[in-house]
Amino acid sequence: MPKRRYERKAPTHEWARIRPLLKDSAQIKYELIRPVILWGIDVKERAAETGEPRSTIYYQANLFDQAGMASLLPPEPPPPVPKLDKRTLPPPMRQAIVDLHAEYPEHHVDEIARIIYVQFGRRPSAQTIKLTLANGPKPSRTTRRFPLWSQISDPRERRLAVLKLHAEGWTPTSIAGYLGTSRRTVHTTLKRWIEEQFAGLPDKSSRPHQPATKTTLKAMQEVKQMQINPELGEYRVSAALEQLGIKLSPRTCGRMLALNRALYHLQMPRKGGRPKKEMPFKASYRQEYWSVGAIRFA
């Protein structure tokens, strides 16, 4: 005769004898609310019989009315989180590495590592970056984020593009290559941002606020004193000033002489009244010419 699977016991409705036989939590909940649901026993009476709080019996009975037997089962546990290998980069970092290389293939591995460190606070190794580029996902960007430097009409947008790329960790060389401009332009933009912040974004005139000049009040005074002699011209005045340690070009001296003549009504330089000397080798008749012969000694 086969052995019984369960031991036979006398049926009863007493909770004190039923509770030790219950093992599963769903079975306990069901036996707790079964008389209330089936036979309409008062919750207060059932609570006094079982020793459970009335609020618990009310709550379980309401859940049973709404969801049926599913309310007796425990909630499903969340799916286990797979453990990631510390050497494996997270998907966002892998995608960022692939996008950087797709956007500007001239990036060096060290520069990609620096950009990833700026964005995610973790610096992957060169070997990891190479493996990610070889086996990583497809690029998520197929177009440029910033146009070429020559295609951006607004000077503010040009310099903002440089600043944004530099904030991401790009080097000036890569920024210049990506935007199609010179490294000098990139360095100048970054220097202006450091010194002037947002005031350095618009274009500024390269003309100096006060043009450089060599003409001083001392030089003008010396020229006026020399101009007392009407025989002095711009070349002689320039040479005389150079002896005094003032270097001015003849043309500058000429403009100063002309200005003094207009202001003080001075005379133009005149040639001296020396008599004109006669040509010593003047011909006495037509087609006369002079010649010097070689003297030979025996």
Side-chain angles (χ1 to χ4, degrees):
M1 183 176 181
K3 185 179 179 181
R4 290 178 177 271
R5 184 177 180 182
Y6 300 105
E7 183 180 358
R8 186 168 183 172
K9 300 179 181 63
T12 180
H13 296 287
E14 297 181 10
W15 178 256
R17 296 176 59 186
I18 294 176
R19 179 63 184 86
L21 303 177
L22 305 177
K23 299 179 181 179
D24 188 67
S25 60
Q27 190 180 14
I28 296 173
K29 294 177 183 178
Y30 176 72
E31 291 295 337
L32 180 64
I33 63 176
R34 183 170 64 89
V36 177
I37 296 174
L38 291 180
W39 303 313
I41 296 178
D42 186 46
V43 174
K44 184 178 180 180
E45 180 181 351
R46 185 62 175 168
E49 179 184 356
T50 59
E52 296 290 335
R54 285 183 295 175
S55 59
T56 302
I57 300 176
Y58 270 121
Y59 178 72
Q60 293 295 338
N62 291 332
L63 286 181
F64 188 85
D65 292 338
Q66 296 174 5
M69 296 298 292
S71 65
L72 304 176
L73 302 176
E76 296 183 0
V81 179
K83 294 183 179 180
L84 297 177
D85 189 356
K86 293 182 179 180
R87 297 171 297 178
T88 304
L89 297 179
M93 293 181 63
R94 293 168 56 85
Q95 189 66 54
I97 292 174
V98 175
D99 291 343
L100 280 172
H101 184 266
E103 187 174 15
Y104 186 60
E106 301 299 326
H107 274 310
H108 295 290
V109 176
D110 294 338
E111 185 176 0
I112 294 178
R114 180 169 55 253
I115 296 174
I116 295 300
Y117 176 76
V118 171
Q119 296 181 4
F120 298 94
R122 177 178 173 183
R123 187 184 182 96
S125 64
Q127 187 66 22
T128 303
I129 293 176
K130 292 180 181 178
L131 291 175
T132 303
L133 294 177
N135 306 320
K138 294 183 179 180
S140 61
R141 290 194 301 262
T142 57
T143 58
R144 295 173 58 95
R145 289 186 296 162
F146 302 99
L148 293 175
W149 184 272
S150 58
Q151 297 175 355
I152 305 176
S153 58
D154 190 356
R156 296 180 179 85
E157 295 297 329
R158 291 178 178 177
R159 296 182 175 92
L160 278 177
V162 173
L163 297 176
K164 290 179 180 178
L165 293 175
H166 181 69
E168 293 178 5
W170 289 47
T171 61
T173 303
S174 297
I175 296 174
Y178 177 74
L179 296 178
T181 185
S182 63
R183 287 183 297 175
R184 182 177 180 181
T185 302
V186 175
H187 283 292
T188 302
T189 302
L190 297 177
K191 183 178 178 181
R192 288 179 59 177
W193 171 257
I194 294 173
E195 296 176 351
E196 306 177 22
Q197 297 294 316
F198 288 99
L201 293 180
D203 283 340
K204 293 184 178 181
S205 176
S206 59
R207 181 179 179 181
H209 298 287
Q210 183 176 0
T213 177
K214 293 183 179 181
T215 305
T216 60
L217 293 176
K218 179 181 178 181
M220 297 178 66
Q221 183 65 24
E222 295 292 340
V223 171
K224 184 175 180 298
Q225 292 179 1
M226 295 179 186
Q227 204 168 357
I228 297 176
N229 184 1
E231 299 253 349
L232 296 179
E234 58 185 22
Y235 286 96
R236 297 178 68 180
V237 170
S238 176
L241 290 176
E242 190 171 357
Q243 294 179 358
L244 299 176
I246 303 174
K247 295 183 179 181
L248 294 177
S249 65
R251 294 298 302 159
T252 303
C253 295
R255 287 191 292 269
M256 295 171 64
L257 293 173
L259 179 62
N260 290 337
R261 285 193 295 269
L263 291 176
Y264 306 109
H265 305 287
L266 302 177
Q267 297 180 359
M268 288 287 293
R270 299 178 180 178
K271 295 183 179 180
R274 300 177 183 176
K276 185 177 181 181
K277 296 183 179 181
E278 187 177 357
M279 177 65 179
F281 305 108
K282 183 178 180 181
S284 58
Y285 56 88
R286 294 182 63 184
Q287 298 184 353
E288 182 182 8
Y289 61 91
W290 292 78
S291 64
V292 178
I295 302 176
R296 298 178 64 185
F297 297 92

